Amino acid sequence: MMDSSCFRSLSKFTTFAISLLLFLSCFSFTTTEAYDALDPNGNITIKWDVISWTPDGYVAVVTMFNFQQYRHIQAPGWTLGWTWAKKEVIWSMVGAQTTEQGDCSRFKGNTPHCCKKDPTTVDLLPGTPYNQQIANCCKGGVINSWVQDPANAASSFQVSVGAAGTTNKTVRVPKNFTLRAPGPGYTCGPAKIVKPTQFTTPDGRRVTQAMMTWNVTCTYSQFLAQKTPTCCVSLSSFYNDTIVPCPTCTCGCQANATHPGSCVDPDAPHLASVVADHGKSNNFAPLVQCTSHMCPIRVHWHVKLNYKEYWRVKVTITNFNYRMNYTLWNLVVQHPNFDNLTQIFSFNYKPLTPYQAINDTAMLWGVKFYNDFLMQAGPFGNVQSELLFQKDNSFTFDKGWAFPQRIYFNGDNCVMPPPDSYPYLPNAGSRRDISIVALVTALLSSLAFFFARL
Ligand SMILES: *[C@@H]1O[C@H](CO)[C@@H](O)[C@H](O)[C@H]1NC(C)=O
Ligand SMILES: *[C@@H]1O[C@H](CO)[C@@H](O)[C@H](O)[C@H]1NC(C)=O
Ligand SMILES: *[C@@H]1O[C@H](CO)[C@@H](O)[C@H](O)[C@H]1NC(C)=O
Ligand SMILES: *[C@@H]1O[C@H](CO)[C@@H](O)[C@H](O)[C@H]1NC(C)=O
Ligand SMILES: *[C@@H]1O[C@H](CO)[C@@H](O)[C@H](O)[C@H]1NC(C)=O
Ligand SMILES: *[C@@H]1O[C@H](CO)[C@@H](O)[C@H](O)[C@H]1NC(C)=O
Ligand SMILES: *[C@@H]1O[C@H](CO)[C@@H](O)[C@H](O)[C@H]1NC(C)=O
Ligand SMILES: *[C@@H]1O[C@H](CO)[C@@H](O)[C@H](O)[C@H]1NC(C)=O
Ligand SMILES: *[C@@H]1O[C@H](CO)[C@@H](O)[C@H](O)[C@H]1NC(C)=O
């Protein structure tokens, strides 16, 4: 830890220069597209198990495992595409379907389910008849995250492939996998032939195995998913009246002159019809309430109370997007006091420990049927919780320590206010007296987007 008196004596410029150097030394990480320091091994693995050979091809069970700690796939769900290596066709599918059949005119009699060279597959919806289901299918493409609900972190379908190889020597693995969830963000590697999967019967008395198995690994990059941030953080405390808002124009600017109606005034008469009209204009682009930050999501961190041995924080997540209900939302928060979290109200909690020794990161998510649904913008578009921490050895209200170092909403980084604006204790020295960690973190989160676009 840097001594604060020494730190205070540095000029503002030096402080900035140091931070910039630190930032550049981390640069290799921030530009490594899909690297996420809080979930370094996070990926979605797509596994194809060839269950049997047929006269003209094979039957495979395809399973997508979401091995990401906190990133899930929400409605309207995943879309999986690939390119066949030869002239394969899909005779039939169970638990999923292709979006287009393509040109099957070369077939007489039996027509395949799909003849496209690059089929696009989607999950079936809940309520699909039982005879068209297999295990882990038919959830409308929704896949939960590994920490939130491991039992629902996979999605499967069965595909019967024709005009394909019929032995493990002649079969060709599909190429060019694409995964949309539902938008862009994932990049998939090539399919790799791996050791055939072994299956144990439910009674545990017999093990069978696939004829052949290949795996495809897909990783997420926030920069591929969207050009601008989608979430920001505001701060307040009991010891200072200042509410530090989200940075202005974090996710966009109000451009009334050039784009009238780019956001919605919540006080406008006929609000509902304004929103409905926008809904008709096609896409899933957010339609946000007019705010200075224009973000669909704001996370507010309020340092609420100070007891002798404990302190208490209130966290509020507000949805400003009229076009989105967030199901199964989650929050990842990094703060050094999470190793002594004593109680959390009305949210679920699990520590994330990507680096075994450090326990400063928490995943928070809603309680099923109570607040796991974050409603579209409006009077009900928020969820909140309180956290009770036992003060640990480094505890202080000084230097912005009580504020989080990093927050993710649904796996995407939320932009923090600049650290020199943090509310500070009355009589607590100069404005520059802030935690270097907070400074670097905020620089990282704001500059990451800037550099990503260079
Ligand atoms: C994908 O995630 C799993 C589970 O965390 C991990 O074992 C595997 O090594 C990861 N794959 C890659 C290519 O990172
Ligand atoms: C193909 O099958 C043969 C046995 O039929 C086996 O010896 C060989 O290892 C298999 N190859 C692959 C790539 O699975
Ligand atoms: C891979 O798929 C993408 C999008 O579906 C397409 O643009 C690209 O040309 C494909 N590449 C190959 C080698 O087929
Ligand atoms: C292939 O994927 C399955 C399921 O995710 C995993 O258990 C297996 O270890 C993977 N194999 C390799 C070689 O990565
Ligand atoms: C845009 O309009 C809103 C109200 O609809 C107003 O509060 C805001 O100041 C305007 N912004 C600009 C840049 O004119
Ligand atoms: C969000 O959910 C509410 C209640 O279920 C529903 O009335 C509303 O239409 C939904 N909004 C969107 C954008 O899906
Ligand atoms: C991290 O801290 C929390 C809260 O004190 C505790 O419940 C959890 O067991 C700790 N996890 C690890 C891996 O030390
Ligand atoms: C805080 O947690 C750490 C690790 O879990 C533990 O070693 C330490 O004693 C705790 N501090 C307090 C004040 O309880
Ligand atoms: C509260 O913090 C702000 C910085 O965000 C500072 O400008 C203000 O003077 C502080 N108020 C008091 C009473 O110390």
Side-chain angles (χ1 to χ4, degrees), residues 65-242:
F65 296 91
N66 184 8
F67 288 129
Q68 300 178 103
Q69 308 273 5
Y70 42 77
R71 204 167 279 119
H72 66 300
I73 298 183
Q74 64 171 351
W78 56 261
T79 301
L80 181 67
W82 62 83
T83 307
W84 290 119
K86 297 193 292 188
K87 291 207 171 335
E88 289 90 336
V89 295
I90 298 174
W91 281 116
S92 62
M93 290 184 109
V94 184
Q97 64 186 2
T98 61
T99 54
E100 282 177 71
Q101 184 180 30
D103 177 7
C104 290
S105 59
R106 68 186 157 110
F107 291 87
K108 306 221 161 54
N110 266 352
T111 4
H113 175 79
C114 174
C115 303
K116 283 186 68 112
K117 176 96 178 151
D118 54 348
T120 300
T121 315
V122 294
D123 197 6
L124 298 181
L125 298 175
T128 297
Y130 284 113
N131 62 1
Q132 292 163 37
Q133 292 195 14
I134 69 162
N136 288 322
C137 85
C138 313
K139 293 181 274 198
V142 172
I143 309 184
N144 226 316
S145 68
W146 196 252
V147 166
Q148 217 161 331
D149 190 357
N152 285 304
S155 184
S156 301
F157 60 87
Q158 183 181 301
V159 59
S160 174
V161 183
T166 54
T167 68
N168 70 6
K169 302 253 161 25
T170 52
V171 77
R172 292 286 165 266
V173 299
K175 294 188 198 329
N176 201 9
F177 280 86
T178 53
L179 175 64
R180 298 176 62 82
Y186 287 91
T187 311
C188 299
K192 290 203 183 89
I193 295 171
V194 299
K195 225 168 108 253
T197 306
Q198 299 201 319
F199 305 97
T200 309
T201 55
D203 62 5
R205 285 159 44 93
R206 181 177 146 78
V207 174
T208 59
Q209 74 176 51
M211 301 288 152
M212 188 179 180
T213 299
W214 57 82
N215 276 6
V216 178
T217 304
C218 305
T219 50
Y220 180 81
S221 153
Q222 188 179 345
F223 305 131
L224 281 182
Q226 67 262 327
K227 295 277 176 287
T228 53
T230 53
C231 170
C232 64
V233 180
S234 58
L235 306 168
S236 61
S237 65
F238 69 85
Y239 53 77
N240 182 318
D241 292 340
T242 309

Side-chain angles (χ1 to χ4, degrees), residues 1-27:
M1 255 288 129
M2 192 180 260
D3 180 65
S4 69
S5 57
C6 138
F7 184 59
R8 209 174 297 153
S9 66
L10 296 171
S11 75
K12 218 168 194 167
F13 175 76
T14 326
T15 314
F16 179 75
I18 290 173
S19 320
L20 194 65
L21 270 177
L22 279 172
F23 170 72
L24 289 174
S25 69
C26 309
F27 194 58

Side-chain angles (χ1 to χ4, degrees), residues 265-310:
D265 181 352
D267 299 325
H270 320 303
L271 175 62
S273 66
V274 173
V275 173
D277 280 351
H278 270 272
K280 281 178 209 140
S281 63
N282 66 59
N283 56 31
F284 285 104
L287 175 65
V288 297
Q289 186 173 315
C290 298
T291 56
S292 60
H293 53 80
M294 295 283 278
C295 288
I297 292 288
R298 181 187 68 197
V299 180
H300 185 77
W301 179 278
H302 175 64
V303 179
K304 189 176 172 186
L305 281 169
N306 183 24
Y307 310 102
K308 190 157 172 285
E309 297 193 352
Y310 296 89

Side-chain angles (χ1 to χ4, degrees), residues 32-41 70-71 220 355 406 408 411:
T32 306
E33 289 264 327
Y35 186 80
D36 180 348
L38 298 182
D39 190 8
N41 296 317
Y70 42 77
R71 204 167 279 119
Y220 180 81
Y355 310 101
R406 174 152 40 183
Y408 289 171

Side-chain angles (χ1 to χ4, degrees), residues 338-341 349 351 353 359:
F338 269 115
D339 59 351
N340 297 93
L341 179 70
Y349 159 78
T353 48
N359 188 2

